[in-house]
Amino acid sequence: MKTMQAYRFALDLTPSQERAVLAHAGAARVAHNWALARVKAVMDQRAAERSYGVADADLTPAVGWSLPALRKAWNAAKGDVAPWWAECSKEAFNTGLDALARALKNWADSRAGKRAGRPVGFPRFKSRRRTRPSVRFTTGAIRVEADRKHVMLPRLGRLKTHESTRKLTRRVDAGAARILSATVRRDGGRWYVSFTCEVQRADRVPTHPFSTVGVDVGVTHLAVLSTGELVPNPRHLDTAGRRMRRLARRMSRRVGPDRRTGQRPSNRWERARRQMTRAHARVANLRRDGLHKLTTRLARQYGTVVVEDLNVAGMLRNRRLARRIADAGFAELRRQLAYKTEWNGGRLVVADRWYPSSKTCSGCGAVKTKLALSERTYTCTTCGLVLDRDLNAARNLAALAAEVDTAGSGPVAGRGANRKTRHGGPVAAKRQPGTAPAGKAGTAPPQGRAA
C-alpha cells in the first residue's frame, strides 16, 4: 500500500548554517505578512465602501487568495518590498504564501459552514519573536546523503544530522520511498528536518487478526484494555513539575522583554527561557514516545481496536482535571491508532460519543441512569456484577465491535444513550440485554476476542 509518511531527524547546525536557516524563515515571515496586509487592506476598503452605499459593481476589485494569485502578486512587488530577495531560496517565500493561502481558505470555509469543528479566525501577522522558525522546500536538490549522517537542501547545502538517517536511506535506495518535500523547523531549542515521503509499505497482518480489544483511556491509568491489562499513566508533566517551577522562578527574576516600553530581554533571561523551553520539549518527547510504543503494540497485535470518541475540548474545561487530561494525550493516542491500524492491516472502531460505555453493565447489558465520576467500581443492581469501572467500559467497547460492520465506526441504533440533553441532566436508555448470562465477566472473553 502507498501512504504518506514523514521522517524527522535532529540537526547539528554550525553558526553560519543556523543564520542561513533563520534568514530563510524570516523571508517566509516577510512574504506572509506582506500578502496578509495586502489582502486585509482590500477587504477593509471594500467594507468601508459598502458602508458608504457604494454598489457592489463599483467596489474596489477583490484580490485572489489562492497560492498562484499570491505568488504572482509577490513576484511583481518583491523588488520593492524585499530588495534582498535573491539571497534566499524562492521556496522560503513560497512557504509564507502557502501558509497564508491555507489559512484564508480555512477561514472562508469556516464562515461558509463548509469546515467542521471550531470556528477558524482570520489569519494574524507573524511575529519575529513569537513565531516558530520554519521553512519548507518542495523543489531542488533534496536528498539524504549516502553516509547517513548528512542531508542536502537547496541553498542551505549539506547539513549534518544528529542521528543516523538509515531508516529513510534504506527505503530510498530500495525504491520504496520517494521524497516529496523537506521542512526545517526549530522546536524545543533544537533544529529538525522532516522529510515528507510517499512510501510503499508491505501488506501486514496483525498477530491476532480476529481478536478485538477495547481501550478505555483515563487519568488514573492511561489505558485500560478489555483483556484486563492496565497501562500506567506516566504523568511526565507532574514528574518534571518541580524542575519546571524552579526554572519559571529563575526566569521571572531576570529582566524580560516589555512591549510597552520597548525593553529588550537580558542575556540571562534568554538563557533561562532556553532552559525552560528544553524542559517542556523533554516532557513532550517523553509523552510522544510512550504513546507511540503503546499504539504500535496494539495495532500490531489486535485485528480490531475499539476506542471512544471523547470530547476532549469539553473535558479540558474541568479546571481540576484539565492539566492531567492534557498531559495524558487522549487525542494523540486516537490519532496514532487511526493510521497504525491501517498500516498493519487492522481496523479502528470509534464508539459514538454518546455511547454509555461506563454506565452499561458488561454482564447483562443494563444501563444506569447516573454514574458519578467518583464511583470507581461498577456495581450492577440487576445481575450483581461488581467490576472496576474502567475495565467494565473497556469490555463494553470490545463487545461493540461485533455489532458494527466493516464500513461503519459507530454503535448500532438503539444501543447508545439519548443524545438529547434535558435540563435535568443526561437521560440514558436501556439497551438490549447482552449475550452473557448473569454473573459472568461480560460479552467479551478475557483474551479480548469478540464473540
Side-chain angles (χ1 to χ4, degrees):
M1 59 176 295
K2 281 189 177 182
T3 182
M4 302 296 295
Q5 186 173 348
Y7 292 85
R8 191 174 82 151
F9 306 101
L11 294 175
D12 288 334
L13 302 180
T14 63
S16 60
Q17 291 174 342
E18 186 173 1
R19 287 193 296 269
V21 176
L22 285 174
H24 280 70
R29 186 183 66 254
V30 168
H32 175 276
N33 291 344
W34 174 86
L36 178 58
R38 176 172 173 269
V39 171
K40 192 174 184 302
V42 174
M43 292 180 60
D44 294 343
Q45 179 66 23
R46 290 171 61 89
E49 292 173 354
R50 285 195 183 95
S51 65
Y52 299 150
V54 179
D56 292 344
D58 300 331
L59 295 177
T60 301
V63 295
W65 292 354
S66 62
L67 178 58
L70 295 177
R71 188 186 295 136
K72 182 178 180 180
W74 168 258
N75 289 333
K78 63 183 179 182
D80 300 330
V81 177
W84 40 264
W85 64 270
E87 301 176 6
C88 299
S89 172
K90 64 181 179 65
E91 294 293 334
F93 307 105
N94 186 76
T95 300
L97 299 177
D98 180 58
L100 179 61
R102 293 173 183 267
L104 288 172
K105 184 179 184 301
N106 293 337
W107 171 73
D109 292 346
S110 179
R111 291 192 64 186
K114 300 179 182 178
R115 180 183 173 88
R118 290 183 176 181
V120 178
F122 191 78
R124 295 183 295 181
F125 292 97
K126 292 188 175 182
S127 170
R128 181 170 67 92
R129 295 190 177 276
R130 294 188 300 273
T131 303
R132 188 169 297 175
S134 176
V135 60
R136 181 169 176 258
F137 299 92
T138 57
T139 59
I142 304 175
R143 65 175 183 271
V144 288
E145 295 294 286
D147 61 355
R148 301 180 180 181
K149 275 293 185 179
H150 294 82
V151 296
M152 181 67 69
L153 297 178
R155 298 299 293 268
L156 297 180
R158 197 164 178 258
L159 308 179
K160 185 178 183 301
T161 59
H162 184 74
E163 50 192 328
S164 175
T165 61
R166 61 181 181 275
K167 290 185 178 181
L168 178 57
T169 306
R170 289 171 180 173
R171 288 185 176 272
V172 172
D173 294 343
R178 183 168 64 95
I179 298 177
L180 302 179
S181 65
T183 303
V184 182
R185 184 179 183 181
R186 188 172 65 187
D187 187 11
R190 294 210 60 144
W191 288 96
Y192 296 89
V193 57
S194 300
F195 293 96
T196 303
C197 308
E198 184 183 41
V199 180
Q200 181 71 32
R201 300 184 62 89
D203 295 335
R204 302 187 62 177
V205 179
T207 305
H208 305 290
F210 302 105
S211 62
T212 302
V213 63
V215 182
D216 182 78
V217 296
V219 175
T220 305
H221 297 92
L222 178 60
V224 177
L225 308 184
S226 58
T227 58
E229 179 184 354
L230 304 178
V231 180
N233 187 2
R235 298 186 178 182
H236 300 294
L237 190 59
D238 290 347
T239 304
R242 183 177 180 182
R243 170 175 169 77
M244 297 178 74
R245 285 192 295 269
R246 185 173 66 250
L247 293 176
R249 286 195 300 268
R250 181 184 303 174
M251 189 170 64
S252 66
R253 292 165 182 162
R254 308 291 189 254
V255 179
D258 192 343
R259 296 181 59 187
R260 296 173 298 178
T261 61
Q263 178 178 282
R264 300 291 298 274
S266 65
N267 293 334
R268 289 162 61 87
W269 185 89
E270 287 287 355
R271 191 182 307 118
R273 182 190 60 83
R274 288 193 295 267
Q275 293 176 351
M276 190 71 175
T277 301
R278 287 196 295 269
H280 277 284
R282 184 176 185 275
V283 171
N285 292 335
L286 289 173
R287 183 188 303 117
R288 188 184 303 112
D289 179 70
L291 292 177
H292 271 296
K293 290 178 179 178
L294 173 62
T295 53
T296 299
R297 178 168 64 89
L298 294 178
R300 289 181 177 178
Q301 185 174 359
Y302 299 99
T304 302
V305 182
V306 188
V307 295
E308 288 181 294
D309 181 19
L310 297 176
N311 182 18
V312 180
M315 297 168 65
L316 291 176
R317 298 193 186 107
N318 186 341
R319 63 183 181 87
R320 299 179 183 274
L321 298 175
R323 190 174 72 168
R324 284 185 169 84
I325 291 174
D327 186 28
F330 296 159
E332 180 66 14
L333 187 144
R334 174 183 165 183
R335 186 192 70 86
Q336 293 180 11
L337 283 175
Y339 69 85
K340 289 184 180 181
T341 51
E342 182 181 358
W343 286 359
N344 292 274
R347 66 164 180 159
L348 177 67
V349 177
V350 180
D352 189 85
R353 179 172 296 182
W354 296 90
Y355 177 69
S357 60
S358 298
K359 299 179 181 179
T360 305
C361 176
S362 59
C364 64
V367 181
K368 287 189 175 183
T369 305
K370 293 183 179 180
L371 184 64
L373 187 61
S374 58
E375 299 181 29
R376 307 313 305 171
T377 301
Y378 185 90
T379 303
C380 181
T381 57
T382 303
C383 65
L385 175 68
V386 179
L387 192 64
D388 179 77
R389 173 197 180 112
D390 297 333
L391 180 57
N392 177 71
R395 290 181 175 177
N396 285 327
L397 293 175
L400 183 65
E403 303 180 11
V404 297
D405 54 7
T406 56
S409 60
V412 176
R415 285 186 59 96
N418 192 344
R419 298 194 179 201
K420 296 181 180 179
T421 304
R422 302 177 182 176
H423 296 289
V427 179
K430 183 177 179 180
R431 68 170 193 180
Q432 297 297 328
T435 56
K440 296 297 182 179
T443 56
Q447 291 79 12
R449 293 174 173 80

